[in-house]
Amino acid sequence: MAALWQQLDDVELYMPGQSMTYDKWYSLVQHYTKRLVHISSVSPGEGENQVAQEVLQLLCDDGVESIYAAVGLDPIENDLYQRQNAYAFLRGESPYTIVLLGHIDTVGTQDYGPLEPYALDPDALVAHLDTLIELTPELREDVNVHSGDWMFGRGTADMKSGVAVNIAVMRYLARQASQGELALSIVMLATRDEENESAGVLQAVRFLLRLREQYGLNYIGAINTDYTTSLYPGDPHRYVYTGTIGKLLPSFLIIGRESHVGDPFDGLDANLLAAELIRNLSMSDDLCDSVRGQIAPPPVTLHATDLKSHYDVQLPFAAYFYLNMLTLTSGPDVLLERLCHYAERTLAQLLERIDATERRWLRAGGNAARAEQLQPRSGIVLTYAELYSEAVQRLGGEFVTRELDMEWKRWPAELDKRERCLHLVYRLWTLSGKAGPAVVIYYSPPYYPYVAPSPCVLHDATTALVKAHPEINLMQEEQFPFLSDISYLRIEEDLDLSVLKANMPVWQEADAPPHPGSYTLPLEAIRELDLPFINFGAYGRGAHQRGERVLMSYSFGVLPQLVYELIENVARLVEQK
């Protein structure tokens, strides 16, 4: 333990009237970040457990383990990879508690191309910086402006540097706890699976409720240290966010009509209808949510394909795609209604266009009389809930349930949940007895609720911190613009999720027996936890790209000091109240 205390004795903490120094924070956080980045933790996978063990080791080195009231690994319930969250709990003088939160998983490294062998080695990437810049020319300006101040590598920004900050702050607070000087209680959680379906933070919600019950805690809020970045060229600010953007994944099963390619007017190419829908929906600014000057990015497709598995000369009569929708104000009910209107209009316009094309084609071939006799084409747009209801009315609830259960069991538990949704919706379509052209709209997982800021002590303390440091160009904003685990810490009171549940084929209620391959959210537990939060993270660029990098001077030196001060601010406000 002496080695740790010797390091931390040199951290000159800010006090009113004194200048701030960051050198010792810097060396510690830099060291911890490299340790974490060196470990591959692509989600989902077993590597996430290795980095969790490393987090635990860093938290407990030099005998610090004995200071924690609780420390260890918390298994994720019903997890295929048997993954675990790392946690540590410091009992302060007060039951009022701050949570330090961060995720330890990453996306893959294939995007590094010839530099992939060095993707987890920041020092090696610096040694190959010329090659990295050649492959990623947009790096050149940043490298010139902040020469020698970037750490490169997968996870440096998103977000192992943020977890390293939490470790350094937690270890410093452990010293205060050992001397009876820690005012607030502190929980640190390092979660996994944020890049996939956030299974780690959903387990953390349950863990925090158990910890609150066991120790009689009163949670004030959570400080998430996920990465932040500039919002426009030349942006000088370092951002703190008090809410977060949400996400829905509306999915579209497209039913055309089979036909030989030599007689295409007898059928309908499902890919054509899918393409028209994608053209009208993807990158549509009309679908962008906005609130108080902040606007969400437009939707984009994340996957699109037809359902043909081999070559033949039959028109593809079934296709599907799903659409990434980021939300600031729209709930599942509002969005689904809007998408149905879009689909109805797109389908009608396409069929009218095909009618007109066929008439021209017939006239060009000398069949004007036949062209005049053509009947207008028609199609239908249904939600999954509507399709299910009609199938039950036609066939009976028990029969439909049995058939869908059989379809569910046809596929392995590890099947991608988006694909499982597709299979269930397509099976329900075949049971319905309906004919295309048709569009069935449903939701696939994951779902991230948007969360608006709410008045609380943590936000008051954050406002005070921002005002105290004009020299750092801190700026407090509302919704964090990237998807994050903080979506699951609280739910808006007026958010109606009944439409989401009714239109997500793999949805399972949290209290139901586990169904392999299902998707659930502990909604009641989230509502019970109701944890305010901020996102106050490292500053980086290029997340999920081979140019991923973190600005070391701010992220390793300034940020941990500010997080420490913020905790002190909260403690003072709590004492005043």
Side-chain angles (χ1 to χ4, degrees):
M1 187 183 298
L4 168 70
W5 299 151
Q6 184 177 357
Q7 290 177 334
L8 293 179
D9 276 337
D10 294 333
V11 179
E12 297 181 31
L13 298 176
Y14 173 81
M15 294 295 290
Q18 294 182 351
S19 60
M20 296 173 65
T21 59
Y22 307 114
D23 291 348
K24 190 54 66 173
W25 284 119
Y26 183 103
S27 60
L28 289 173
V29 177
Q30 182 187 52
H31 173 66
Y32 298 158
T33 300
K34 285 184 179 180
R35 290 266 298 262
L36 298 177
V37 169
H38 277 309
I39 302 171
S40 175
S41 55
V42 178
S43 181
E46 296 178 356
E48 293 173 273
N49 279 340
Q50 296 175 25
V51 75
Q53 291 280 0
E54 183 71 4
V55 169
L56 195 62
Q57 182 69 42
L58 292 174
L59 284 167
C60 294
D61 272 350
D62 305 307
V64 181
E65 180 177 5
S66 62
I67 303 173
Y68 299 118
V71 63
L73 299 171
D74 183 48
I76 298 175
E77 294 179 8
N78 306 310
D79 187 63
L80 290 173
Y81 300 93
Q82 298 182 322
R83 294 170 295 177
Q84 300 169 312
N85 293 332
Y87 68 89
F89 169 50
L90 289 170
R91 187 65 183 264
E93 297 301 305
S94 166
Y96 288 101
T97 305
I98 287 288
V99 178
L100 297 176
L101 184 66
H103 73 84
I104 49 179
D105 61 309
T106 71
V107 297
T109 57
Q110 298 88 342
D111 53 313
Y112 281 82
L115 293 178
E116 187 175 10
Y118 314 116
L120 304 181
D121 189 337
D123 293 334
L125 283 173
V126 169
H128 292 81
L129 188 55
D130 289 344
T131 303
L132 187 62
I133 292 174
E134 182 179 344
L135 292 170
T136 319
E138 60 269 23
L139 288 179
R140 190 177 306 277
E141 182 178 355
D142 266 358
V143 169
N144 290 337
V145 172
H146 299 285
S147 179
D149 199 11
W150 295 106
M151 178 185 286
F152 297 89
R154 177 62 75 238
T156 51
D158 187 17
M159 62 164 288
K160 290 180 176 177
S161 55
V163 174
V165 167
N166 289 345
I167 294 170
V169 171
M170 197 70 177
R171 287 173 64 92
Y172 188 84
L173 294 174
R175 179 179 189 182
Q176 291 186 337
S178 72
Q179 297 173 348
E181 298 173 354
L182 182 63
L184 300 177
S185 296
I186 310 290
V187 179
M188 179 188 157
L189 279 160
T191 62
R192 60 277 326 287
D193 197 55
E194 192 264 2
E195 304 292 0
N196 190 34
E197 291 184 356
S198 290
V201 75
L202 297 177
Q203 176 64 31
V205 168
R206 293 183 282 262
F207 173 83
L208 288 171
L209 289 175
R210 293 200 310 268
L211 203 69
R212 184 174 73 181
E213 178 71 19
Q214 181 177 356
Y215 291 95
L217 305 180
N218 188 336
Y219 291 123
I220 295 172
I223 302 170
N224 191 50
T225 50
D226 210 343
Y227 90 105
T228 60
T229 192
S230 58
L231 300 184
Y232 55 87
D235 184 358
H237 298 104
R238 302 294 179 257
Y239 291 95
V240 188
Y241 296 93
T242 52
T244 190
I245 204 165
K247 166 178 170 167
L248 285 157
L249 198 67
S251 305
F252 300 76
L253 173 63
I254 315 300
I255 304 296
R257 188 168 290 176
E258 66 275 15
S259 176
H260 191 282
V261 294
D263 200 1
F265 290 110
D266 271 4
L268 179 70
D269 178 2
N271 284 335
L272 176 59
L273 177 51
E276 288 297 298
L277 283 166
I278 292 171
R279 185 173 73 91
N280 286 337
L281 293 170
S282 183
M283 295 299 293
S284 170
D285 57 342
D286 186 50
L287 287 169
C288 293
D289 262 0
S290 61
V291 58
R292 289 180 290 280
Q294 186 173 1
I295 186 167
V300 292
T301 56
L302 292 179
H303 185 68
T305 185
D306 62 41
L307 303 191
K308 292 184 72 169
S309 59
H310 61 277
Y311 171 81
D312 60 30
V313 291
Q314 184 184 52
L315 289 183
F317 58 88
Y320 94 112
F321 67 92
Y322 43 83
L323 197 68
N324 190 82
M325 298 286 305
L326 299 177
T327 62
L328 296 171
T329 58
S330 294
D333 50 347
V334 173
L335 179 60
L336 188 60
E337 184 177 357
R338 294 188 70 191
L339 292 175
C340 284
H341 289 320
Y342 264 81
E344 288 166 354
R345 184 170 68 245
T346 300
L347 177 58
Q349 290 172 345
L350 175 62
L351 295 181
E352 288 174 6
R353 195 180 84 199
I354 293 174
D355 288 344
T357 301
E358 186 177 14
R359 283 193 291 270
R360 291 195 304 272
W361 180 76
L362 287 170
R363 292 182 187 120
N367 292 310
R370 185 181 169 194
E372 297 304 319
Q373 296 171 357
L374 287 178
Q375 296 298 310
R377 290 170 170 82
S378 64
I380 55 174
V381 174
L382 294 165
T383 66
Y384 176 80
E386 290 169 340
L387 181 64
Y388 183 88
S389 177
E390 292 186 19
V392 167
Q393 289 180 6
R394 180 171 179 262
L395 302 169
E398 290 186 7
F399 180 82
V400 171
T401 299
R402 184 168 62 252
E403 290 295 314
L404 291 179
D405 188 57
M406 289 173 59
E407 182 67 26
W408 193 303
K409 292 176 180 176
R410 283 185 58 201
W411 306 98
E414 60 270 18
L415 179 72
D416 182 271
K417 289 181 173 61
R418 275 61 50 187
E419 288 191 42
R420 188 179 299 277
C421 282
L422 169 66
H423 292 309
L424 292 170
V425 176
Y426 190 69
R427 179 57 180 149
L428 188 62
W429 172 261
T430 62
L431 291 174
S432 73
K434 293 181 179 296
V439 180
V440 182
I441 307 177
Y442 58 98
Y443 283 120
S444 296
Y447 168 58
Y448 290 78
Y450 67 84
V451 183
S454 59
C456 63
V457 170
L458 178 60
H459 292 177
D460 292 343
T462 300
T463 301
L465 182 75
V466 170
K467 290 180 179 178
H469 292 294
E471 77 284 2
I472 301 175
N473 282 319
L474 293 173
M475 179 170 283
Q476 189 169 326
E477 292 284 349
E478 291 194 9
Q479 264 90 335
F480 182 53
F482 307 113
L483 295 176
S484 168
D485 282 343
I486 50 181
S487 278
Y488 301 113
L489 298 182
R490 60 184 302 268
I491 293 178
E492 297 293 301
E493 290 183 5
D494 59 350
L495 190 59
D496 181 5
L497 298 182
S498 60
V499 170
L500 177 76
K501 297 178 184 180
N503 287 282
M504 185 179 286
V506 297
W507 179 268
Q508 176 177 289
E509 294 295 344
D511 57 355
H515 202 161
S518 63
Y519 180 78
T520 188
L521 293 175
L523 297 175
E524 292 307 312
I526 294 172
R527 292 188 189 279
E528 183 181 351
L529 183 63
D530 193 30
L531 189 62
F533 58 79
I534 63 166
N535 192 86
F536 194 12
Y539 180 85
R541 295 185 191 267
H544 297 196
Q545 302 170 44
R546 65 170 162 259
E548 180 174 354
R549 55 205 182 276
V550 64
L551 192 67
M552 294 186 287
S553 56
Y554 174 79
S555 306
F556 299 168
V558 178
L559 180 62
Q561 174 65 32
L562 294 178
V563 170
Y564 173 79
E565 286 184 42
L566 178 58
I567 294 171
E568 293 289 287
N569 283 355
V570 172
R572 283 192 292 270
L573 288 176
V574 168
E575 185 178 359
Q576 291 169 11
K577 292 188 177 184

